[in-house]
Amino acid sequence: MKLSVIIPVYNVEVYLPECVLSLYQSGLSSIDFEVLLINDGSTDGSFQIAGELSKKYMNIRIFTQENQGLSAARNRGILEAKGDYIFFLDSDDFIYPNALPFLLKKAFENNLDILRFEYWNVTESGEKQSLSEYINKRKLYEDKIGDGYFLLENVYNREFYACFSLIKRSFLIQSGVKFTQGMYYEDIEFTISLSTFAKRAMYISKPLYAYRNRVTSIVNTFNRKKATDLIMVASRLRRLANQKEKVISHVLEETVTNLMIFVLLRISEPSLFKERTLLLDLMKEEGLKYLYPQKNLKEISIPILYNIMGCFSIYFLLPISYIKNKYITKKIRKK
């Protein structure tokens, strides 16, 4: 079997049929792939819909577990998968026609560990909205074969989504990399860690994935739990950087700094300002006392401010966070 498609399912009855049906409109014979629906304790009609779909398509397998989150569902899928390659598809997203045969042809012809491709941001109704802002940067590296450093340095551009890649199953299992359970931002650590093991990787600029923007409130979605998890992810990436050769470690450090800039800006907002001391203390405890300045003005000035002033830097970031929130709120209202 060529491909295992892993779809975590949790309360997505509105989107699940479109997601699954898109696989059968992709031009790949059903004998060449399997669909693993991991029902992660859904309380709506998702499980019933999954059952109906499995009656129609014999290559669908359903697994049910208590609600443990996206990471646990994906890890279960990896254990159960039988295909040569693995594709993580989120249950509220879908793929475009002819995507699977195209991807598999590229992967098998080039014996790839990881094949990264492009995506469309789509509205809740599935209408195309925008391509990644980094696509023009990445196009310079299209169809070139490189290693994990190639991906980290030239391709990801801070977009570490696991669902935008085709991954060789044997390579994934041999690496020992899994999704960390019970945490937000699990894709960041998984994608980066896995890439450090890759020997043959490729990028193609064809947008084959529809990433659905389910907008609730972008401004208010960041909380203490998410800040804590992001700090822990950055801490583990720093430890990983210390274990890797210099050519990869500097790219990992760049990611750590960017993640912490994001955290510093967010915890300077009013909604998290009361939590700032605890979160800043956690950064220090996790070995994030120092940030390495990077390329642009924001990535230079904020790390320097933090390195010199520590927790007091938050007060200088208040105006930046205020302006940023005003801009985001205005953008949401326009939509």
Side-chain angles (χ1 to χ4, degrees):
M1 186 179 297
K2 295 180 179 179
L3 179 66
S4 295
V5 182
I6 298 172
I7 306 177
V9 177
Y10 179 72
N11 291 355
V12 283
E13 60 182 3
V14 175
Y15 305 104
L16 187 57
E18 181 181 21
C19 171
V20 173
L21 291 175
S22 71
L23 296 169
Y24 295 93
Q25 296 167 353
S26 68
L28 189 66
S29 171
S30 60
I31 63 172
D32 289 329
F33 74 103
E34 63 176 353
V35 181
L36 281 65
L37 300 179
I38 316 298
N39 177 40
D40 190 44
S42 294
T43 57
D44 66 355
S46 297
F47 179 69
Q48 288 74 21
I49 292 172
E52 293 170 5
L53 289 167
S54 68
K55 292 176 183 177
K56 185 176 181 181
Y57 302 104
M58 300 304 293
N59 61 338
I60 291 179
R61 294 195 286 151
I62 302 174
F63 302 89
T64 297
Q65 60 188 31
E66 292 182 4
N67 180 244
Q68 301 175 55
L70 178 65
S71 293
R74 284 176 170 174
N75 286 339
R76 175 70 182 277
I78 294 169
L79 287 174
E80 301 289 352
K82 299 177 180 178
D84 295 311
Y85 281 87
I86 284 176
F87 171 41
F88 298 106
L89 175 59
D90 286 349
S91 51
D92 52 352
D93 299 334
F94 58 92
I95 61 168
Y96 292 107
N98 303 314
L100 297 183
F102 178 79
L103 290 171
L104 286 170
K105 187 172 186 293
K106 283 279 186 183
F108 278 107
E109 283 180 351
N110 296 283
N111 189 28
L112 300 177
D113 295 325
I114 301 174
L115 174 59
R116 173 66 182 245
F117 48 90
E118 282 295 348
Y119 66 97
W120 278 99
N121 287 300
V122 301
T123 63
E124 287 205 30
S125 60
E127 296 174 0
K128 290 179 180 177
Q129 198 171 34
S130 64
L131 292 169
S132 168
E133 60 181 298
Y134 301 108
I135 188 170
N136 290 328
K137 290 183 180 180
R138 288 195 278 252
K139 275 185 176 180
L140 297 172
Y141 306 98
E142 183 165 24
D143 284 331
K144 295 180 180 179
I145 296 177
D147 57 11
Y149 172 75
F150 163 77
L151 290 174
L152 292 166
E153 177 75 5
N154 304 308
V155 175
Y156 289 138
N157 291 293
R158 307 176 194 178
E159 293 184 336
F160 301 111
Y161 304 102
C163 51
F164 301 155
S165 295
L166 206 66
I167 303 168
K168 182 185 286 186
R169 183 171 64 91
S170 59
F171 157 72
L172 174 55
I173 293 171
Q174 187 175 8
S175 74
V177 175
K178 295 181 180 179
F179 291 94
T180 303
Q181 295 182 199
M183 290 184 66
Y184 292 104
Y185 307 108
E186 63 283 321
D187 279 24
I188 298 174
E189 184 181 6
F190 174 85
T191 300
I192 291 175
S193 298
L194 185 65
S195 297
T196 63
F197 292 98
K199 301 300 182 185
R200 295 183 63 81
M202 180 184 284
Y203 162 75
I204 52 175
S205 66
K206 194 170 183 177
L208 303 171
Y209 192 102
Y211 182 76
R212 199 185 304 268
N213 287 312
R214 295 167 63 185
V215 179
T216 51
S217 175
I218 295 174
V219 176
N220 297 317
T221 53
F222 201 73
N223 53 35
R224 179 177 171 179
K225 165 67 174 167
K226 291 185 178 180
T228 299
D229 287 355
L230 205 49
I231 290 169
M232 299 306 294
V233 167
S235 173
R236 282 199 284 269
L237 290 179
R238 173 156 287 181
R239 289 197 292 271
L240 181 64
N242 293 334
Q243 299 168 10
K244 297 295 180 179
E245 56 270 27
K246 192 172 181 179
V247 71
I248 290 182
S249 64
H250 89 271
V251 183
L252 297 180
E253 278 296 349
E254 181 179 342
T255 303
V256 169
T257 296
N258 287 325
L259 293 178
M260 289 304 92
I261 289 173
F262 178 77
V263 170
L264 288 169
L265 285 171
R266 296 309 295 265
I267 66 177
S268 66
E269 297 171 4
S271 61
L272 274 175
F273 203 60
K274 291 181 180 179
E275 312 280 356
R276 67 191 183 281
T277 302
L278 290 172
L279 292 169
L280 287 166
D281 286 345
L282 179 62
M283 287 178 64
K284 293 177 183 178
E285 290 170 10
E286 291 298 323
L288 298 167
K289 296 179 182 179
Y290 184 86
L291 301 179
Y292 295 87
Q294 299 299 323
K295 299 172 183 176
N296 60 41
L297 180 61
K298 182 179 76 173
E299 294 168 353
I300 294 173
S301 58
I302 294 179
I304 291 175
L305 191 64
Y306 172 75
N307 293 340
I308 295 174
M309 303 191 69
C311 61
F312 293 103
S313 62
I314 295 296
Y315 294 96
F316 289 87
L317 296 176
L318 272 169
I320 300 174
S321 294
Y322 176 78
I323 294 169
K324 183 181 176 183
N325 274 346
K326 292 282 286 186
Y327 170 75
I328 292 174
T329 303
K330 187 176 180 182
K331 198 171 181 181
I332 292 171
R333 285 174 180 167
K334 281 184 179 180
K335 290 181 182 178

